[in-house]
Amino acid sequence: MKVPEEIISFFKERDDFLIATHINPEGDALGSSISLSMALESIGKRVIVYDRDPVPYLYRFLPGHERFTNSISNLYGISNLILLDCNTPERADLNDFVKENQPFTAIIDHHETEREFGDLKWVVPSASATGQMIFHLIKAMGVEISKDMATNLYTAIAIDTGTFRYSNTDATTLMDASELIRAGADPALVSTSLYDMWSRGRFELLILTLNTIEIRDGIAITSVTREMFQRTGTDAADTENFANFPRMMADVKISAFFREIEDGWKVSLRSKGEINVARIAETFGGGGHRNAAGYKIKGNLEEAKESLLREASKTMNCP
Ligand code: 5GP
Ligand code: MN
């Protein structure tokens, strides 16, 4: 992967950086942000790492996760903003900050949904993960990948490729992962931390969620309500990967997982093969990748499901 010269000089020539990533962060968002902050600090830069939401407990094995601040008041006075694994300030809940402070903004992302925003953009939809781009960026800056950076980057790539199973896994993904293992990442530790450390409440929430399943025309719909979170002592971060389960069935083409939020529903879409759920999410103002995308929608669950089924059937009939 070739890293654009202007991206390398952006980091070399400037001194202070605010790294921010999307709300409800997952492995790619977290691993990319932490490892880039470590690399920049190692060459003497001042860095703040921000997410609106706390690091979910399942990611607290990542070395350096405590670097994240969730306090917007810590961000003032930084002139360069880097948005990682997202391409608008909205996705990071930084709209007001950007309006008030007008930072110079660089976007580093691999989502295929295009947005106008950004002074400098490096967007590679074919990258398996933003973490894969950051791996190449760190090397291109001449920084040696430390064991802690390697663990973060390996986790980023592992989570976005379903641990090297999805169609975004190719020879370069595995070569990069192999280098990260040589640099100190421990695949067994990462996969145990990601997949085998669930709380009892999380597992109960999964059972409740799977029991909501409806399958219509190859589209599997599941949902989780706030009441279900309360009953199991869990929260939104515990639903990571829930959307993937119904896709395990051979005749399910799209899995749609609805999570109740303040004023409506957060919808996670997963598909197989050529069915592009990013296109469906875009019609609702969201976005993502071909086989994993999301959006928010107001209103009650039945209406939200019906509107999804309408848009999904259009995409499935004329992809
Ligand atoms: P998830 O369903 O796990 O939240 O997200 C799946 C993919 O879709 C991720 O790559 C995520 O960044 C993207 N995505 C999820 N929700 C939204 C959204 O509301 N807007 C946009 N632009 N992308 C989203
Ligand atoms: Mn990603």
Side-chain angles (χ1 to χ4, degrees), residues 33-318:
S33 302
I34 296 168
S35 54
L36 180 59
S37 77
M38 288 172 168
L40 291 173
E41 276 180 10
S42 79
I43 52 170
K45 310 291 179 177
R46 190 161 89 86
V47 190
I48 293 178
V49 194
Y50 172 80
D51 197 274
R52 187 197 68 181
D53 300 319
V55 174
Y57 75 88
L58 103 117
Y59 286 114
R60 301 214 178 139
F61 75 96
L62 289 175
H65 70 82
E66 64 293 327
R67 286 166 175 249
F68 271 93
T69 177
N70 313 115
S71 165
I72 196 116
S73 61
N74 292 338
L75 311 186
Y76 293 89
I78 295 248
S79 39
N80 301 294
L81 168 65
I82 307 150
L83 286 178
L84 283 188
D85 201 41
C86 61
N87 55 16
T88 57
E90 272 117 298
R91 279 285 286 152
D93 200 15
L94 280 179
N95 256 352
D96 293 346
F97 173 83
V98 166
K99 273 197 200 113
E100 279 166 37
N101 294 275
Q102 307 274 325
F104 184 92
T105 307
I107 307 282
I108 302 181
D109 187 26
H110 69 134
H111 288 91
E112 63 173 68
T113 303
E114 288 175 37
R115 298 279 195 260
E116 285 298 307
F117 187 81
D119 299 304
L120 186 58
K121 283 190 202 195
W122 182 33
V123 178
V124 184
S126 63
S128 315
T130 301
Q132 191 183 24
M133 300 169 70
I134 300 299
F135 169 65
H136 288 276
L137 169 62
I138 293 175
K139 292 206 299 180
M141 291 194 295
V143 174
E144 195 181 331
I145 306 274
S146 67
K147 180 176 166 55
D148 286 352
M149 290 179 208
T151 301
N152 277 283
L153 293 168
Y154 182 91
T155 302
I157 298 171
I159 206 76
D160 266 24
T161 57
T163 309
F164 311 105
R165 289 176 304 136
Y166 300 154
S167 60
N168 58 354
T169 306
D170 62 16
T172 68
T173 322
L174 293 174
M175 278 190 318
D176 294 346
S178 155
E179 268 190 61
L180 289 167
I181 293 168
R182 279 189 206 285
D186 177 346
L189 173 106
V190 171
S191 66
T192 301
S193 307
L194 290 178
Y195 304 118
D196 300 335
M197 296 293 282
W198 286 34
S199 67
R200 178 72 183 263
R202 185 177 185 192
F203 204 82
E204 282 164 6
L205 186 71
L206 176 65
I207 294 170
L208 294 175
T209 302
L210 294 180
N211 270 320
T212 67
I213 195 159
E214 281 171 59
I215 303 178
R216 290 207 247 160
D217 305 326
I219 303 167
I221 296 177
T222 48
S223 53
V224 66
T225 59
R226 283 192 281 186
E227 189 272 328
M228 286 156 71
F229 284 127
Q230 268 164 14
R231 209 168 358 139
T232 51
T234 52
D235 62 28
D238 288 297
T239 65
E240 189 174 318
N241 271 338
F242 278 21
N244 295 332
F245 286 90
R247 190 172 56 173
M248 293 164 89
M249 278 177 278
D251 54 359
V252 166
K253 309 266 184 317
I254 296 178
S255 161
F257 169 65
F258 290 73
R259 169 167 64 81
E260 190 177 14
I261 52 176
E262 205 103 297
D263 53 353
W265 299 86
K266 169 73 213 287
V267 187
S268 288
L269 301 175
R270 301 291 185 269
S271 66
K272 282 181 186 142
E274 292 305 310
I275 297 175
N276 191 332
V277 285
R279 297 286 101 85
I280 301 175
E282 284 162 14
T283 66
F284 294 102
H289 308 283
R290 187 181 68 193
N291 297 132
Y295 63 93
K296 287 183 181 156
I297 187 162
K298 293 196 163 75
N300 72 43
L301 182 56
E302 284 317 308
E303 286 162 6
K305 284 183 192 173
E306 290 307 323
S307 60
L308 180 262
L309 286 167
R310 268 197 307 276
E311 286 306 322
S313 71
K314 282 189 215 160
T315 300
M316 285 162 85
N317 293 331
C318 33

